[in-house]
Amino acid sequence: ERLNVKNKEYKYKIIENTFSQPNRAMNEKMIEWALDNSKDLKGDLVELYCGHGNFTIPLSENFRKVIATEINKESIEAATYNAALNNRENITFLAMSAAEFSALKDENSPLLASYDLKNVLIDPPRAGLDDKSREFVNEFENIIYISCNPETLKRDLQTLAKNRKIKAFAFFDQFAYTNHLECGVILRRKK
C-alpha cells in the first residue's frame, strides 16, 4: 500500500487478515488531520492499537520518540517492517495490549524511563475503550482519539473530556453508503 500524505509518500506492507483502513483516500485525509493537529504538541507519543503503523509512521515526524502497542503480533511485525521501509528510527513497537502497557507505566518500567509521555493516540476497536484503558488514557495531557463507533466514542468522552477542551473534531466517511462513520477528536488538558 502506498499513501500520499501532505505530498509525501508512505509505504506499508499489510498482512492479510489484519486490520487496515478500507478507504485509501479517506485514510490519507485522516492522517493529514492527525498530523496537522499534533504538530505543536510537546513531549513524546504513545499509540495504543497501532495496527501496522498507519498513523504511527507519519505522526512519528511530529515527535522526538514514539512507543506504539498492538496485541496482534502479525500487525507488529508489519509495523516494524513499515517503519524501516519509511526510514523512521524513532519508533519502538511492542506486541502487547493497552492493559499490559498501562501496567508497564504503573510499574515505572526502565523501558519507559527515556520517554516524556504526554500524548496518546488511540484507534480502538468498535467496542471503544474498556474501563482500565479509559482510566489509563485519561492520565495523558493530550489525546488523539480516532473512533469507528460514535456511540462508544460518546461514552468514552464522558470521562476523557471532563478535564479537557475539545480542540478539534472531524468526521470521515470511511464507509461510504453505510451508517458507519469514523470520527477524530483532539483533546487537550485544561490549564
Side-chain angles (χ1 to χ4, degrees):
E1 178 84 33
R2 293 173 186 268
L3 298 177
N4 187 331
V5 178
K6 299 180 94 47
N7 296 317
K8 182 171 182 178
E9 184 179 76
Y10 295 93
K11 300 173 199 150
Y12 297 91
K13 174 173 105 174
I14 300 173
I15 308 289
E16 190 174 350
N17 294 323
T18 61
F19 177 80
S20 63
Q21 298 291 348
N23 182 325
R24 179 187 300 159
M26 195 56 60
N27 188 27
E28 291 169 340
K29 296 293 181 199
M30 289 170 48
I31 294 169
E32 285 179 1
W33 178 84
L35 271 169
D36 287 344
N37 283 287
S38 64
K39 65 184 174 198
D40 65 339
L41 297 180
K42 306 289 186 243
D44 297 324
L45 177 69
V46 171
E47 182 179 357
L48 307 176
Y49 316 98
C50 73
H52 65 270
N54 181 64
F55 288 99
T56 322
I57 291 163
L59 264 67
S60 71
E61 297 186 20
N62 284 353
F63 297 93
R64 179 183 67 95
K65 292 174 83 173
V66 176
I67 190 161
T69 71
E70 170 62 50
I71 197 165
N72 183 295
K73 289 180 175 47
E74 289 84 8
S75 291
I76 284 293
E77 288 173 16
T80 303
Y81 177 87
N82 294 336
L85 188 63
N86 289 280
N87 299 312
R88 301 307 306 151
E89 297 178 4
N90 63 333
I91 307 170
T92 299
F93 291 103
L94 302 173
M96 62 176 44
S97 69
E100 290 170 315
F101 184 79
S102 70
L104 267 184
K105 191 166 185 286
D106 290 345
E107 296 165 2
N108 293 317
S109 167
L111 172 67
L112 303 180
S114 68
Y115 289 88
D116 182 17
L117 299 178
K118 293 182 179 172
N119 310 288
V120 63
L121 180 137
I122 49 176
D123 186 2
R126 192 165 294 283
L129 299 172
D130 60 48
D131 292 341
K132 177 104 173 119
S133 297
R134 194 177 313 108
E135 184 180 307
F136 174 66
V137 167
N138 202 32
E139 295 174 15
F140 291 86
E141 288 181 28
N142 304 296
I143 302 169
I144 304 166
Y145 194 141
I146 305 295
S147 173
C148 62
N149 185 342
E151 291 176 14
T152 57
L153 173 64
K154 179 184 175 189
R155 178 203 63 210
D156 293 342
L157 287 178
Q158 288 173 344
T159 299
L160 301 176
K162 279 184 181 174
N163 300 324
R164 291 181 181 79
K165 288 184 179 183
I166 295 177
K167 299 300 279 182
F169 197 106
F171 293 103
F172 302 96
D173 194 2
Q174 183 75 261
F175 312 98
Y177 308 108
T178 73
N179 293 330
H180 299 291
L181 195 60
E182 197 91 4
C183 302
V185 184
I186 305 294
L187 299 129
R188 297 203 180 153
R189 190 176 308 281
K190 294 176 184 174
K191 302 215 179 208

